Amino acid sequence: MTRGTGRDGSPGAPRSVDVARVAGVSQKTVSRVFNDEPYVSADVRRRVLDAAEQLGYRRNNAARALASGRTRSIGVVTLGTALYGPASLLMGVERVVRDTGYALRVVNTMEGDPAGLAGAVGSLLDQGVDGIVISEPIDEPGGEAEPLRVDVPVLVLGAPQPFAASTVLFGGRGADRMARAVVEHLLDLGHATVHHLAGPQRWYAAKDRLEGWRSALAAHGRDEPPVIEGDWSAASGYAAGRELAADPEVTAVFAANDDMAIGLIRALAEAGRRVPQDVSVVGFDDIPVAAYVTPPLTTVRQPFDTVAQEGLKRLVHAIDNPQAQALPASDPPVDLIVRASTQPPPPRTPPGRRRHSVSRSPGEVPPHRLPEKDPSTRR
Amino acid sequence: MTRGTGRDGSPGAPRSVDVARVAGVSQKTVSRVFNDEPYVSADVRRRVLDAAEQLGYRRNNAARALASGRTRSIGVVTLGTALYGPASLLMGVERVVRDTGYALRVVNTMEGDPAGLAGAVGSLLDQGVDGIVISEPIDEPGGEAEPLRVDVPVLVLGAPQPFAASTVLFGGRGADRMARAVVEHLLDLGHATVHHLAGPQRWYAAKDRLEGWRSALAAHGRDEPPVIEGDWSAASGYAAGRELAADPEVTAVFAANDDMAIGLIRALAEAGRRVPQDVSVVGFDDIPVAAYVTPPLTTVRQPFDTVAQEGLKRLVHAIDNPQAQALPASDPPVDLIVRASTQPPPPRTPPGRRRHSVSRSPGEVPPHRLPEKDPSTRR
DNA sequence: ATGAAAGCGCTAACAC
DNA sequence: GTGTTAGCGCTTTCAT
């Protein structure tokens, strides 16, 4: 076979012995230089580096991994979607992983994948990773059965406590606290209660938001309206909006993501219920267009970068110190961004004069407020 | 050191010799079984598989890579953004790569990264990949200098012909053809010309769309209005919209992505120019909310999956047959999705009676059409 | 159809 | 500070 990275009949990539020969040192010394080990004189180091440069030497990772038992790589399990949340998290993870000097391997579990999470993790293990990040896991039916037997540290991002294993760390996203902030914002505005358009409940992220909504409502002694479950898509938000529009009691809706909120708003508008005059709507994610739709969307921004950074710091720590205690979790800040899709509820209309039966050109939308470029309100 | 993937003082992972011993065969036979090599009797195969199962054997990839000189992995260079286009492409690539039996390694070049593309590719080469996918490259200043010296096949997705190297393949995205389709749609509706809100010109994808727009206009003998350059963000679309709104000649705008189109529409609406009555707007990407914003956006859907699939097929082919001719490129289909943001231009207003000076409640938006769930029009 | 021997290029442990 | 000696767990080549 051709040697190293050399393809076709090429001479073959230079190895560390070659560098050693050119530099006039032993092969081990070359290894020392490239691993930044102590006890190499500056002079020798230079000679080695020069020789390597001249030869175009690049060390062979397979050999390194084989000899050391470590691959210096971290695997990520993602859902195979371009949804804003998961995609942002993945990018955040990539950014941090590179800084830590690890390489990144990616595998995804598609929803409905027969192998599911276990399969994805297994494939990562096959590749030989030093640690695993599971991003936004979903609850595959039957997946609970095997509690994920792995011998490398695992970091779970965007889920509360799904897996039982001694090596598992959690990078809480605090979505429940964020959801609470949303509900409280709406309650503060004077809404009697808040409806919830939930995400698919197989996603821990969706469950989390539902939980936050539920507990906030309970904490304030409000009654809990029935939950509608969407699938994250604007289409499902639209469908939910048609239902909700028919109910005059609905004055405030918290959608589990911005896409659904946008679909929802459209359905409400078509039904003649104006946002925010008649109904307030809050989304979740702060997708790039959230400030520019009509009306600009009140939503929650998640600190993906912070979460990725904090989580990976702990994962790398666990990899480097197998026996050590896990670093304590830190909760990311909540960022509620108030724009124009929320306001106090309309005055109670007397029963019998249902607001949505009032004649109004369908789809008319309220005057705009200027969209803002930056997070306007923090709490 | 602990053996294989075994961490802490654990017994160490089983190796193929262990399996061989249990199965009562030679180690080589185990290797044969796991590589699906011929000449293993069904009986022996079963025994080996059972033994492996029982021991929890998983083969060591580092050793495999070292011995064979191939890592069976493909590296991807992405921008570190969660933008819909790049993120979708990445997911498409992931999906296909897994099917081909390769592992995926990801590295990103952030815009302005000093090391840039060369650094990202180098880091992939260090990791030892059998092939490289460069997704949506951007034109780093000075990056042209080094023509990307690599000895593995490279697939470039979403760019025309940026790099010179014998091993480079192109997975054209046909964005220029798509841009032409957009312009022709608008021209067919009767618009005198089409303005273009371009993406950042360091992106090949943005250049591509600009090219398509330009050539379509030329082909139809229309004059080419000045181009405004945005940065893909809705905010930049909004800024562009404020400029464009002041010019009564503008009746049709092609934005290089949906986010900018949405910002643009908002700015136009605030300036009293209705979409689509006064100005038609077309986006690009068909982001998930495109059908649900106001008005539902006419846009172009890119066949990310097809592109990823076709491209990777060729990449894998090149990897497996080093000397062979590259497979011919195939252009993906163009998918123009006509929704409610485009219509024929308003009748020419006599000079002096500028439409946008007409009193109108700012931000009023036209009645909706029903959003559609599926691509409505193909061409 | 199966096995024995010889590395792949590096790191680890210990000597000098 | 530097070199020597063994492997790491597989694939390869060649016998059988």
Side-chain angles (χ1 to χ4, degrees):
Chain A
M1 183 82 249
T2 90
R3 204 208 252 161
T5 58
R7 293 175 54 76
D8 52 72
S10 71
R15 298 151 307 162
S16 59
V17 246
D18 300 325
V19 176
R21 195 172 311 116
V22 172
V25 297
S26 81
Q27 185 267 350
K28 172 65 211 180
T29 299
V30 174
S31 168
R32 282 209 179 87
V33 170
F34 276 89
N35 288 322
D36 278 324
E37 279 172 32
Y39 303 126
V40 224
S41 69
D43 170 50
V44 170
R45 162 164 274 117
R46 262 261 59 79
R47 282 203 336 259
V48 169
L49 257 18
D50 286 348
E53 168 78 58
Q54 176 195 326
L55 261 39
Y57 170 71
R58 99 187 311 155
R59 60 190 162 173
N60 181 319
N61 243 283
R64 239 157 93 78
L66 179 55
S68 69
R70 301 186 43 184
T71 58
R72 284 144 231 265
S73 71
I74 288 176
V76 185
V77 180
T78 61
L79 279 333
T81 91
L83 286 175
Y84 186 71
S88 301
L89 244 193
L90 177 59
M91 289 309 158
V93 168
E94 204 290 340
R95 230 162 291 159
V96 184
V97 167
R98 255 248 260 192
D99 290 344
T100 64
Y102 280 80
L104 225 221
R105 317 212 175 171
V106 177
V107 158
N108 57 220
T109 7
M110 289 140 289
E111 290 201 59
D113 186 341
L117 186 60
V121 169
S123 126
L124 247 17
L125 256 20
D126 274 348
Q127 294 176 47
V129 293
D130 294 341
I132 292 181
V133 178
I134 299 177
S135 174
E136 301 266 13
I138 60 177
D139 184 8
E140 282 299 343
E144 263 5 321
E146 285 175 69
L148 200 59
R149 182 74 200 86
V150 220
D151 52 4
V152 299
V154 175
L155 169 71
V156 180
L157 254 26
Q161 290 260 356
F163 312 106
S166 56
T167 41
V168 175
L169 316 161
F170 298 95
R173 274 245 313 281
D176 54 334
R177 285 181 310 125
M178 299 184 190
R180 292 187 65 124
V182 168
V183 172
E184 276 158 12
H185 164 63
L186 258 4
L187 259 26
D188 285 353
L189 287 173
H191 294 272
T193 190
V194 176
H195 282 67
H196 184 43
L197 170 49
Q201 290 299 300
R202 296 168 54 223
W203 291 58
Y204 289 99
K207 284 185 188 167
D208 222 16
R209 287 162 214 189
L210 176 67
E211 253 356 287
W213 165 78
R214 181 164 281 156
S215 66
L217 244 30
H220 292 263
R222 308 308 171 93
D223 49 275
E224 184 183 301
V227 173
I228 302 188
E229 184 175 328
D231 65 1
W232 296 134
S233 76
S236 73
Y238 182 81
R242 297 180 73 116
E243 273 183 58
L244 257 15
D247 180 356
E249 296 295 308
V250 176
T251 68
V253 184
F254 165 39
N257 78 347
D258 289 347
D259 285 11
M260 292 196 296
I262 289 169
L264 173 72
I265 287 172
R266 175 152 197 96
L268 290 174
E270 284 177 10
R273 304 205 60 185
R274 301 161 306 169
V275 176
Q277 289 88 336
D278 299 325
V279 182
S280 287
V281 174
V282 179
F284 205 100
D285 275 350
D286 194 29
I287 62 174
V289 298
Y292 296 87
V293 293
T294 301
L297 201 59
T298 293
T299 187
V300 174
R301 175 177 304 166
Q302 302 188 66
F304 294 113
D305 282 335
T306 312
V307 168
Q309 216 157 346
E310 286 297 313
L312 278 164
K313 193 198 295 174
R314 293 161 62 207
L315 182 64
V316 170
H317 175 86
I319 293 172
D320 293 340
N321 315 293
Q323 320 290 19
Q325 199 66 36
L327 261 37
S330 73
D331 273 326
V334 174
D335 236 0
L336 176 69
I337 300 173
V338 178
R339 296 204 182 92
S341 67
T342 48
Q343 70 171 44
R348 286 292 259 176
T349 34
R353 269 196 75 251
R354 292 298 186 72
R355 154 164 264 111
H356 69 286
S357 61
V358 171
S359 138
R360 164 188 314 288
S361 90
E364 185 180 323
V365 204
H368 310 268
R369 293 195 212 154
L370 266 175
E372 324 137 50
K373 178 108 201 245
D374 292 322
S376 35
T377 309
R378 312 193 118 196
R379 24 180 317 169
Chain B
M1 184 80 252
T2 90
R3 202 208 252 161
T5 60
R7 292 175 54 77
D8 54 71
S10 71
R15 298 150 311 167
S16 59
V17 248
D18 300 326
V19 176
R21 194 171 312 119
V22 172
V25 298
S26 79
Q27 184 268 348
K28 171 66 214 180
T29 299
V30 175
S31 169
R32 282 208 179 87
V33 170
F34 276 90
N35 289 323
D36 279 321
E37 280 172 34
Y39 304 126
V40 222
S41 69
D43 170 49
V44 169
R45 162 165 273 116
R46 260 261 60 77
R47 282 208 329 263
V48 168
L49 258 16
D50 286 348
E53 169 79 55
Q54 175 195 325
L55 260 38
Y57 170 72
R58 92 189 318 154
R59 49 184 174 177
N60 180 319
N61 243 284
R64 238 156 95 77
L66 178 56
S68 68
R70 300 187 42 184
T71 59
R72 287 140 230 266
S73 70
I74 288 177
V76 184
V77 180
T78 61
L79 277 334
T81 93
L83 286 175
Y84 186 72
S88 301
L89 245 193
L90 177 59
M91 290 308 158
V93 167
E94 204 291 338
R95 229 163 291 160
V96 185
V97 166
R98 254 247 259 193
D99 289 344
T100 63
Y102 281 80
L104 225 221
R105 317 212 175 172
V106 177
V107 159
N108 55 220
T109 7
M110 287 141 288
E111 290 202 58
D113 187 338
L117 186 60
V121 169
S123 124
L124 247 18
L125 256 19
D126 274 347
Q127 295 177 48
V129 292
D130 294 340
I132 292 181
V133 178
I134 299 178
S135 173
E136 302 266 14
I138 59 178
D139 184 8
E140 281 300 339
E144 262 4 320
E146 285 175 70
L148 202 59
R149 181 75 200 83
V150 224
D151 52 4
V152 299
V154 174
L155 169 70
V156 179
L157 252 27
Q161 290 259 358
F163 312 106
S166 55
T167 41
V168 175
L169 316 161
F170 300 94
R173 275 245 313 281
D176 55 332
R177 285 181 311 123
M178 299 185 191
R180 293 187 65 123
V182 168
V183 172
E184 275 158 12
H185 164 64
L186 259 4
L187 260 26
D188 285 352
L189 287 173
H191 294 271
T193 189
V194 175
H195 282 68
H196 184 41
L197 170 49
Q201 290 300 300
R202 297 168 54 225
W203 291 58
Y204 289 99
K207 284 184 188 167
D208 221 17
R209 288 163 213 186
L210 176 67
E211 254 355 289
W213 165 79
R214 181 164 280 155
S215 67
L217 244 31
H220 292 262
R222 307 307 170 94
D223 50 276
E224 185 184 299
V227 174
I228 303 189
E229 183 175 327
D231 65 3
W232 295 133
S233 75
S236 73
Y238 182 81
R242 297 180 72 117
E243 273 184 58
L244 257 16
D247 179 356
E249 297 294 309
V250 175
T251 68
V253 184
F254 165 37
N257 79 346
D258 287 348
D259 284 11
M260 293 196 296
I262 288 169
L264 172 72
I265 288 172
R266 175 150 197 98
L268 290 173
E270 284 177 11
R273 304 206 58 185
R274 301 162 306 171
V275 176
Q277 290 88 336
D278 300 324
V279 182
S280 286
V281 174
V282 180
F284 204 100
D285 275 349
D286 195 29
I287 62 174
V289 297
Y292 295 87
V293 294
T294 302
L297 201 59
T298 292
T299 187
V300 174
R301 176 176 305 168
Q302 302 188 69
F304 294 113
D305 281 336
T306 313
V307 168
Q309 216 157 346
E310 285 298 311
L312 277 164
K313 193 197 295 171
R314 294 160 63 206
L315 182 63
V316 170
H317 174 87
I319 293 173
D320 292 340
N321 315 295
Q323 321 289 20
Q325 200 67 36
L327 261 37
S330 74
D331 274 325
V334 174
D335 233 2
L336 177 68
I337 300 173
V338 178
R339 296 206 183 92
S341 66
T342 48
Q343 69 170 45
R348 287 291 261 175
T349 34
R353 267 196 78 254
R354 292 301 188 68
R355 155 164 263 110
H356 70 283
S357 63
V358 170
S359 141
R360 165 188 312 289
S361 91
E364 186 179 322
V365 203
H368 311 267
R369 292 195 213 155
L370 266 176
E372 322 136 52
K373 177 108 201 244
D374 291 323
S376 34
T377 310
R378 315 193 115 197
R379 21 179 320 166

